[in-house]
Amino acid sequence: MKKLCIVFRRAPHGTAHGREGLDLALLSASFEQEVSLIFMDEGVLNLLKQQQPELIGAKDYIATFKALPLYDVETVLVCKQSLAELGLSAGLLSIPVTVFNHEQIAGHLAQADEVLVF
Amino acid sequence: MILHHIQTSPNNDSALKLCLRYARKEDTILLAGNGVTALLQRQWAMALSPFKLMLLQQDVQARGLGELLKDFTQIDYADFVDLSLSHTKVISW
Amino acid sequence: MSKFIVQVNSPAYGSAASMNAYRFTKAAQAQGHSVIRVFFYQDGVFNSNALNCPASDEFDLTRAWTELANDTGLELVNCVSAALRRGILSEQDARENAREHWNLASPFVMGGLGELVTGIEQADRVVSF
């Protein structure tokens, strides 16, 4: 068992990074790894409510973020500074998250066994 | 102690910005590919200055930047392999 | 001697990252380390397209991976879901999906993300490109 941290740093739908990052996160969790997620920079936009990706022919992987607790993924971190840069607050997000400042995120990155960025 | 691996120019991608936001003093930053061009810009060179910094020599020379970036530590792939093991992990931003 | 997983997320042509992954893999093997497998995810699966046809004076990365695998026994594994979405199919995938053609270069194989995860679990280090 390893502590795998999956980082989402890009906006959804314009590229497949978010969807393929989530696929890896869920698969890792189902393989009994200790998975945590960090949303930073435009990656925080993955968590906005009321997305309709099917309007642009994209897969609605966003709904799947709600399934994270079923996979025992309990650590979902959002970068405070990234929210502020985009004029967002945690209340606008579709799932419960923990907001961390950059030092707290650095601490989390330091304790993970491996970090994969999408 | 993390090895941060940057493969893109900060003008095209936020990899370097994010790496600098979350890197700690004891970490090392490795610039590869177009990532090496960050050092041509004063603001990025300044932001990188507190960190132990490495450049992939082939990526520097391939771009004709050998003379301009001669003051920075340049390494080959064997060194990269060693660094990846001497640090606790590699984050490819 | 240490164990590595190399993860490739970028295409064979149009990005320098895959070439850097290849150089890293060769350097790790040259130092006597074990590269458990190279796992191709996202656009990395384009490395396995047997139809990649660079001009004769240009570096052929698909061929280089193939030769390295044949010479050293290195495992080259695609994420099958990422590959199918991008039109990279093995003969078996073509049959199962009623396609007339396939293009997976040998000795690349299709696998699941589980092979990345179990590889990471066994490895001392994962390095992504």
Side-chain angles (χ1 to χ4, degrees), chain A residues 33-76:
Chain A
Q33 308 301 307
E34 187 180 325
V35 176
S36 60
L37 310 186
I38 307 179
F39 294 85
M40 61 176 66
D41 210 30
E42 291 187 354
V44 302
L45 297 171
N46 280 284
L47 298 180
L48 282 186
K49 294 172 186 165
Q50 295 182 326
Q51 298 190 44
Q52 301 175 69
E54 63 280 4
L55 290 178
I56 52 170
K59 183 184 163 73
D60 185 9
Y61 69 95
I62 302 297
T64 312
F65 282 113
K66 294 200 173 72
L68 288 169
L70 300 176
Y71 289 82
D72 294 322
V73 178
E74 285 156 3
T75 306
V76 181

Coordinates of all heavy atoms in Angstrom, one line a residue, chain A residues 33-76:
Chain A
Q33 N -4.8 1.3 -2.5 CA -3.8 2.4 -2.2 C -4.4 3.5 -1.4 O -5.6 3.6 -1.4 CB -3.2 3.0 -3.5 CG -2.7 1.9 -4.4 CD -1.6 1.0 -3.9 OE1 -0.6 1.5 -3.4 NE2 -1.8 -0.3 -3.9
E34 N -3.6 4.2 -0.6 CA -4.2 5.3 0.2 C -4.1 6.5 -0.7 O -3.1 7.2 -0.9 CB -3.3 5.5 1.5 CG -3.9 6.5 2.4 CD -3.1 6.7 3.7 OE1 -2.5 5.7 4.1 OE2 -3.0 7.9 4.1
V35 N -5.3 6.9 -1.3 CA -5.3 7.9 -2.3 C -5.8 9.2 -1.7 O -6.8 9.3 -1.0 CB -6.3 7.5 -3.4 CG1 -6.4 8.6 -4.5 CG2 -5.7 6.2 -4.1
S36 N -5.1 10.3 -2.1 CA -5.6 11.7 -1.7 C -5.6 12.5 -3.0 O -4.9 12.2 -4.0 CB -4.7 12.3 -0.7 OG -3.4 12.4 -1.2
L37 N -6.5 13.5 -3.0 CA -6.6 14.3 -4.2 C -6.3 15.8 -3.8 O -6.7 16.2 -2.7 CB -8.0 14.3 -4.8 CG -8.7 12.9 -5.1 CD1 -10.0 13.2 -5.8 CD2 -7.8 12.1 -5.9
I38 N -5.6 16.5 -4.7 CA -5.4 17.9 -4.5 C -5.9 18.7 -5.7 O -5.5 18.3 -6.9 CB -3.9 18.3 -4.2 CG1 -3.3 17.5 -3.1 CG2 -3.9 19.8 -3.9 CD1 -1.9 17.9 -2.8
F39 N -6.7 19.7 -5.5 CA -7.2 20.5 -6.6 C -6.5 21.9 -6.5 O -6.6 22.5 -5.5 CB -8.7 20.7 -6.6 CG -9.4 19.4 -6.9 CD1 -9.6 18.5 -5.8 CD2 -9.8 19.0 -8.1 CE1 -10.3 17.2 -6.0 CE2 -10.4 17.8 -8.4 CZ -10.7 16.9 -7.3
M40 N -5.8 22.2 -7.6 CA -5.0 23.5 -7.5 C -5.1 24.2 -8.9 O -5.5 23.6 -9.9 CB -3.6 23.3 -7.1 CG -2.8 22.4 -8.1 SD -1.1 22.2 -7.7 CE -1.1 21.3 -6.2
D41 N -4.8 25.5 -8.9 CA -4.9 26.3 -10.1 C -6.2 26.1 -10.7 O -7.2 26.0 -10.0 CB -3.7 25.9 -11.0 CG -3.2 27.0 -11.9 OD1 -3.3 28.2 -11.5 OD2 -2.7 26.8 -13.0
E42 N -6.3 26.0 -12.1 CA -7.7 25.9 -12.7 C -8.3 24.5 -12.4 O -9.4 24.2 -12.8 CB -7.6 26.2 -14.2 CG -7.3 27.6 -14.4 CD -7.4 28.0 -15.9 OE1 -7.6 27.1 -16.8 OE2 -7.3 29.2 -16.2
G43 N -7.5 23.6 -11.9 CA -8.0 22.3 -11.5 C -9.2 22.4 -10.5 O -10.1 21.5 -10.5
V44 N -9.3 23.4 -9.7 CA -10.4 23.6 -8.8 C -11.7 23.7 -9.6 O -12.8 23.3 -9.0 CB -10.3 24.8 -7.9 CG1 -9.0 24.7 -7.1 CG2 -10.3 26.1 -8.6
L45 N -11.7 24.1 -10.9 CA -12.9 24.2 -11.6 C -13.6 22.8 -11.9 O -14.8 22.8 -12.3 CB -12.6 24.9 -13.0 CG -12.1 26.3 -12.9 CD1 -11.6 26.8 -14.2 CD2 -13.2 27.2 -12.3
N46 N -12.8 21.7 -11.7 CA -13.4 20.4 -11.8 C -14.6 20.2 -10.8 O -15.5 19.4 -11.0 CB -12.4 19.3 -11.5 CG -11.5 19.0 -12.7 OD1 -12.0 18.4 -13.7 ND2 -10.3 19.5 -12.7
L47 N -14.5 21.0 -9.7 CA -15.4 20.8 -8.6 C -16.6 21.7 -8.6 O -17.4 21.7 -7.7 CB -14.7 20.8 -7.3 CG -13.6 19.8 -7.1 CD1 -12.9 20.0 -5.8 CD2 -14.1 18.4 -7.2
L48 N -16.7 22.6 -9.6 CA -17.9 23.5 -9.6 C -19.2 22.7 -9.8 O -19.2 21.7 -10.5 CB -17.7 24.5 -10.7 CG -16.8 25.7 -10.5 CD1 -16.9 26.7 -11.6 CD2 -17.1 26.4 -9.1
K49 N -20.2 23.2 -9.2 CA -21.5 22.6 -9.4 C -22.1 22.9 -10.7 O -21.7 23.8 -11.4 CB -22.5 23.1 -8.3 CG -22.1 22.8 -6.9 CD -23.0 23.5 -5.9 CE -22.6 23.3 -4.5 NZ -23.2 24.3 -3.5
Q50 N -23.2 22.2 -11.1 CA -24.0 22.5 -12.2 C -23.3 22.5 -13.6 O -23.6 23.2 -14.5 CB -24.7 23.8 -12.0 CG -25.7 23.7 -10.9 CD -26.5 25.0 -10.7 OE1 -26.0 26.1 -10.9 NE2 -27.7 24.9 -10.2
Q51 N -22.3 21.6 -13.7 CA -21.6 21.5 -15.0 C -22.4 20.6 -15.9 O -23.1 19.7 -15.4 CB -20.2 20.9 -14.8 CG -19.3 21.8 -13.9 CD -17.9 21.3 -13.9 OE1 -17.3 21.0 -15.0 NE2 -17.2 21.3 -12.8
Q52 N -22.4 20.9 -17.2 CA -23.1 20.1 -18.2 C -22.2 19.8 -19.3 O -22.4 20.2 -20.5 CB -24.3 20.9 -18.7 CG -25.3 21.4 -17.6 CD -26.4 22.2 -18.2 OE1 -27.3 21.8 -18.9 NE2 -26.4 23.5 -17.8
P53 N -21.2 18.9 -19.1 CA -20.2 18.6 -20.1 C -20.8 18.0 -21.4 O -20.3 18.1 -22.5 CB -19.3 17.7 -19.4 CG -19.9 17.3 -18.1 CD -20.9 18.3 -17.8
E54 N -22.0 17.3 -21.2 CA -22.6 16.7 -22.4 C -23.0 17.7 -23.5 O -23.0 17.4 -24.7 CB -23.8 15.8 -22.0 CG -25.0 16.6 -21.4 CD -24.8 16.9 -19.9 OE1 -23.7 16.6 -19.4 OE2 -25.8 17.5 -19.4
L55 N -23.1 19.0 -23.1 CA -23.5 20.0 -24.0 C -22.3 20.2 -25.1 O -22.6 20.7 -26.2 CB -23.7 21.4 -23.3 CG -25.0 21.5 -22.5 CD1 -25.0 22.9 -21.8 CD2 -26.2 21.3 -23.4
I56 N -21.1 19.9 -24.7 CA -20.0 20.1 -25.6 C -19.4 18.7 -26.0 O -18.2 18.6 -26.4 CB -18.9 21.0 -25.0 CG1 -18.5 20.5 -23.6 CG2 -19.4 22.4 -25.0 CD1 -17.3 21.2 -23.0
G57 N -20.2 17.7 -25.8 CA -19.7 16.3 -26.3 C -18.7 15.7 -25.4 O -18.0 14.8 -25.8
A58 N -18.6 16.2 -24.1 CA -17.6 15.7 -23.2 C -18.3 14.7 -22.2 O -19.4 14.9 -21.9 CB -16.9 16.8 -22.5
K59 N -17.5 13.8 -21.7 CA -18.0 12.8 -20.8 C -18.3 13.5 -19.4 O -17.4 14.3 -19.0 CB -17.0 11.7 -20.6 CG -17.5 10.6 -19.7 CD -16.4 9.5 -19.5 CE -16.7 8.6 -18.3 NZ -17.7 7.6 -18.5
D60 N -19.4 13.2 -18.8 CA -19.7 13.7 -17.5 C -19.0 12.9 -16.4 O -19.6 12.2 -15.6 CB -21.2 13.8 -17.2 CG -21.4 14.6 -15.9 OD1 -20.5 15.1 -15.3 OD2 -22.6 14.5 -15.5
Y61 N -17.6 13.1 -16.4 CA -16.9 12.4 -15.3 C -17.1 13.2 -14.0 O -16.8 12.7 -12.9 CB -15.4 12.3 -15.6 CG -14.6 13.6 -15.7 CD1 -13.9 14.0 -14.6 CD2 -14.6 14.3 -16.8 CE1 -13.2 15.2 -14.6 CE2 -13.9 15.5 -16.9 CZ -13.2 15.9 -15.8 OH -12.5 17.1 -15.8
I62 N -17.5 14.5 -14.1 CA -17.6 15.3 -12.9 C -18.5 14.7 -11.8 O -18.2 14.7 -10.6 CB -18.2 16.7 -13.3 CG1 -17.3 17.4 -14.4 CG2 -18.3 17.6 -12.1 CD1 -15.9 17.7 -14.0
A63 N -19.6 14.1 -12.3 CA -20.6 13.5 -11.3 C -19.9 12.4 -10.5 O -20.3 12.1 -9.4 CB -21.7 12.9 -12.1
T64 N -18.8 11.8 -11.1 CA -18.1 10.7 -10.4 C -17.3 11.1 -9.2 O -17.0 10.4 -8.3 CB -17.2 10.0 -11.4 OG1 -18.0 9.7 -12.6 CG2 -16.7 8.7 -10.9
F65 N -17.0 12.4 -9.1 CA -16.3 12.9 -7.9 C -17.2 12.7 -6.7 O -16.6 12.5 -5.6 CB -16.0 14.4 -8.0 CG -14.8 14.7 -8.9 CD1 -15.0 15.4 -10.1 CD2 -13.5 14.4 -8.5 CE1 -13.9 15.7 -10.9 CE2 -12.5 14.6 -9.4 CZ -12.6 15.3 -10.6
K66 N -18.5 12.6 -6.8 CA -19.4 12.4 -5.7 C -19.2 11.0 -5.1 O -19.6 10.7 -4.0 CB -20.8 12.6 -6.1 CG -21.1 14.1 -6.4 CD -22.6 14.3 -6.3 CE -23.0 15.8 -6.5 NZ -22.8 16.3 -7.9
A67 N -18.6 10.1 -6.0 CA -18.4 8.7 -5.5 C -17.2 8.4 -4.7 O -16.9 7.3 -4.3 CB -18.4 7.8 -6.8
L68 N -16.3 9.5 -4.6 CA -15.1 9.3 -3.9 C -15.2 8.6 -2.5 O -14.4 7.7 -2.2 CB -14.3 10.6 -3.7 CG -13.8 11.2 -5.0 CD1 -13.3 12.6 -4.8 CD2 -12.6 10.3 -5.6
P69 N -16.2 9.0 -1.7 CA -16.3 8.3 -0.4 C -16.5 6.8 -0.5 O -16.1 6.0 0.3 CB -17.5 8.9 0.3 CG -17.7 10.3 -0.4 CD -17.2 10.1 -1.8
L70 N -17.2 6.3 -1.6 CA -17.5 4.9 -1.8 C -16.1 4.2 -2.1 O -16.0 3.0 -1.8 CB -18.4 4.7 -3.0 CG -19.8 5.3 -3.0 CD1 -20.5 5.1 -4.3 CD2 -20.6 4.7 -1.8
Y71 N -15.1 4.9 -2.5 CA -13.8 4.3 -2.8 C -12.9 4.6 -1.6 O -11.7 4.4 -1.7 CB -13.2 4.9 -4.0 CG -13.9 4.4 -5.3 CD1 -15.0 5.1 -5.8 CD2 -13.3 3.4 -6.1 CE1 -15.6 4.6 -7.0 CE2 -13.9 3.0 -7.3 CZ -15.0 3.6 -7.7 OH -15.6 3.2 -8.9
D72 N -13.4 5.1 -0.5 CA -12.6 5.4 0.7 C -11.6 6.5 0.4 O -10.5 6.5 1.0 CB -12.0 4.1 1.3 CG -13.0 3.2 1.8 OD1 -14.0 3.6 2.4 OD2 -12.8 1.9 1.7
V73 N -11.8 7.3 -0.5 CA -10.9 8.5 -0.7 C -11.5 9.6 0.1 O -12.5 10.2 -0.2 CB -10.9 8.9 -2.2 CG1 -10.0 10.1 -2.4 CG2 -10.4 7.8 -3.1
E74 N -10.8 9.8 1.2 CA -11.3 10.8 2.2 C -10.6 12.1 2.2 O -11.1 13.1 2.7 CB -11.3 10.1 3.6 CG -12.3 9.1 3.8 CD -12.0 8.1 4.9 OE1 -10.9 8.2 5.5 OE2 -12.8 7.1 5.1
T75 N -9.4 12.1 1.7 CA -8.6 13.3 1.7 C -8.7 14.1 0.4 O -8.2 13.6 -0.6 CB -7.1 13.0 2.0 OG1 -7.1 12.3 3.2 CG2 -6.3 14.3 2.2
V76 N -9.5 15.1 0.4 CA -9.7 15.9 -0.8 C -9.4 17.4 -0.5 O -10.1 18.0 0.3 CB -11.2 15.8 -1.4 CG1 -11.3 16.7 -2.6 CG2 -11.6 14.4 -1.6

